[in-house]
Amino acid sequence: MADNLQPLQEDDPRLFQMGDAYAFATYPVCGVVFTDEGAVAIDGPMAPATGRQWREFIETRVPVKFHILCEHHEDHTACCSVLGADTLVSSEITAFELARCASGSTDDMRQTLRGWGRNRFFSEELVEDYEVRRPDMTYAERLSFTLGGKDFVVVEAPGHTRGSSIVHALDDRVAFVADAVFPGTCAPPAQSCDPWAWFRTLGMLEALDVDWYVPGHGDPFDRSELDSTRKGLHTLVDSVRDWKRQGWSRERVMAEGDCFDRSLRKPYRGADDVPPGLKLIAPKIQAESLGAVYDYLDEHPAGSHRRHVDAEANYNEIFDQCSA
Ligand SMILES: [Zn+2]
C-alpha cells in the first residue's frame, strides 16, 4: 500500500506554505522553495514512499534543481537518492561524515529503513530498490546562489552536527534550520555535536531577517522560539558539567545521567510519521550525547590549542631508541 501513496494534497495538515516556500512536516521535516527555473529542496522524508510522494508534489510544478542536505544523520540523508535532484549539495564535513556511517552504504541504509527507520509508510519493495546517493558538490563556510531570480545562502551551522547546514531563502524570508533547533526546552539530541559552536550558530540564527524558521523535527516557528532551544542546550551542558564536578566519570555520566525530559519537546504535526523504533535507540542516542558534551567540557568555548596539535611524539625518546 505504501508505495502507492495518494498524491500529497495542498490541504494536507502537514504542509505549511510560506510565500513560494513549503515545509512538509513529516519525519524529518523537509522543505522546498519554488522558482521559475526549478526547485530547491532542503532535506527530505526518510521513508522512500513519502520521499516519492514529496518528489511528485515538487515535480508537478518544476524539476528539483538543487537538493541541500543539512546533515549526515540517516533520517535526513535517506531521501538523497529518492528526490532525484540535478545537484545534491552538502557541506564538506557532512559529505565526509556520511561516508563513515550507515548513510554512506546502500546495505546499511536498507537495514536502517527496515529497522529503526521503519514507519507507517514502509514498503519492502521500495527498500529493495533503494540505493544511497552521495553529494555531487560540497562547500565550506558559505555557498550563495541565485535560481529563477531568487537568492539563497547556504551556511555552515555547526552544532547538532559539526557539518550541519542551514538554508536561508532570502526572498521568501524563510530559514530552513534542520536540527540546529528542536522546538521546546528539552535538551536536544547531541550525539554528533559541537556544543560551543551550537551556541554561536543560535546567535547567527537570531540575527537572520526572516519570518519563519523550519526545524528538522517540529512545526515552523518564529524567532521567539529560539530562546527555548537555547535553554534546552544549557540544560544539557549544565547537567553534564554538574555531574562532572561531582566526580562522575564519562562512563557513569553516560550510564546514569538523564536530562532529557521529552515532555518539554513541542508536539508537531508530523508526529504520526515518526518511526516507532526510534524510541528503542533513543536511550543510546542520549547516552552518546552526554558523552560528546563531557568531552567538549575539557575544551574552552573559545576554542582550544589541543584541537589541532602535532602528534605527541617524543623525538628525544625516539632518538634514544634509534641510537641505542
Ligand atoms: Zn540529526
Side-chain angles (χ1 to χ4, degrees):
M1 79 103 188
D3 30 336
N4 296 318
L5 278 181
Q6 295 298 310
L8 192 57
Q9 301 297 321
E10 282 280 346
D11 61 356
D12 189 298
R14 296 168 300 168
L15 275 180
F16 294 79
Q17 189 181 358
M18 301 154 287
D20 291 328
Y22 284 82
F24 179 25
T26 178
Y27 182 85
V29 179
C30 46
V32 70
V33 180
F34 291 110
T35 82
D36 293 341
E37 288 173 24
V40 177
I42 301 97
D43 286 344
M46 186 178 193
T50 318
R52 282 194 174 195
Q53 195 188 31
W54 181 231
R55 176 180 179 167
E56 190 186 284
F57 178 83
I58 299 171
E59 284 186 339
T60 51
R61 294 161 172 82
V62 284
V64 186
K65 200 89 176 169
F66 294 108
H67 177 177
I68 317 293
L69 171 65
C70 294
E71 62 166 80
H72 69 279
H73 290 155
E74 292 83 350
D75 47 346
H76 294 252
T77 61
C79 204
C80 289
S81 56
V82 182
L83 285 192
D86 286 356
T87 309
L88 176 64
V89 182
S90 78
S91 74
E92 276 184 9
I93 298 173
T94 289
F96 174 78
E97 297 283 9
L98 78 83
R100 299 191 318 159
C101 66
S103 298
S105 149
T106 291
D107 283 346
D108 290 348
M109 274 307 286
R110 285 181 184 157
Q111 195 181 339
T112 301
L113 292 168
R114 290 186 180 112
W116 74 259
R118 179 180 179 130
N119 76 353
R120 63 188 176 129
F121 304 117
F122 177 77
S123 154
E124 176 55 33
E125 211 183 327
L126 294 184
V127 171
E128 246 169 61
D129 290 344
Y130 181 85
E131 303 268 343
V132 296
R133 177 177 175 185
R134 303 264 188 97
D136 304 300
M137 191 168 87
T138 64
Y139 78 98
E141 293 193 22
R142 276 164 57 89
L143 168 73
S144 54
F145 62 91
T146 302
L147 183 70
K150 287 183 186 277
D151 293 327
F152 297 86
V153 183
V154 185
V155 193
E156 266 190 321
H160 172 68
T161 75
R162 286 172 293 275
S164 292
S165 296
I166 64 126
V167 180
H168 182 189
L170 278 81
D171 299 272
D172 291 296
R173 302 180 54 78
V174 182
F176 297 90
V177 301
D179 293 2
V181 176
F182 284 81
T185 56
C186 178
Q191 72 273 32
S192 315
C193 80
D194 175 341
W196 308 143
W198 206 336
F199 284 114
R200 288 194 290 276
T201 287
L202 290 176
M204 186 261 286
L205 296 183
E206 280 161 1
L208 294 180
D209 182 23
V210 296
D211 298 323
W212 293 104
Y213 296 85
V214 177
H217 303 278
D219 293 335
F221 58 87
D222 64 19
R223 195 170 68 189
S224 60
E225 194 70 49
L226 289 175
D227 281 347
S228 72
T229 291
R230 195 177 281 282
K231 279 199 187 97
L233 193 53
H234 278 298
T235 298
L236 177 61
V237 172
D238 292 346
S239 302
V240 179
R241 191 182 269 136
D242 282 351
W243 295 321
K244 201 168 180 175
R245 274 194 189 128
Q246 288 168 38
W248 289 25
S249 66
R250 188 181 197 274
E251 290 68 30
R252 183 171 175 201
V253 167
M254 288 178 68
E256 297 176 33
D258 185 7
C259 57
F260 300 93
D261 179 356
R262 287 189 58 90
S263 67
L264 300 174
R265 185 82 66 76
K266 273 188 120 178
Y268 85 110
R269 294 194 194 175
D272 289 345
D273 299 355
V274 176
L278 186 60
K279 274 197 205 81
L280 300 177
I281 60 165
K284 178 73 177 161
I285 292 174
Q286 290 169 4
E288 294 291 338
S289 299
L290 299 176
V293 172
Y294 189 97
D295 294 338
Y296 269 94
L297 287 170
D298 288 335
E299 187 183 286
H300 192 275
S304 165
H305 59 283
R306 300 222 29 103
R307 287 313 281 289
H308 303 286
V309 289
D310 287 358
E312 287 178 7
N314 183 331
Y315 294 104
N316 291 335
E317 270 176 24
I318 293 167
F319 179 75
D320 287 346
Q321 284 160 11
C322 295
S323 56

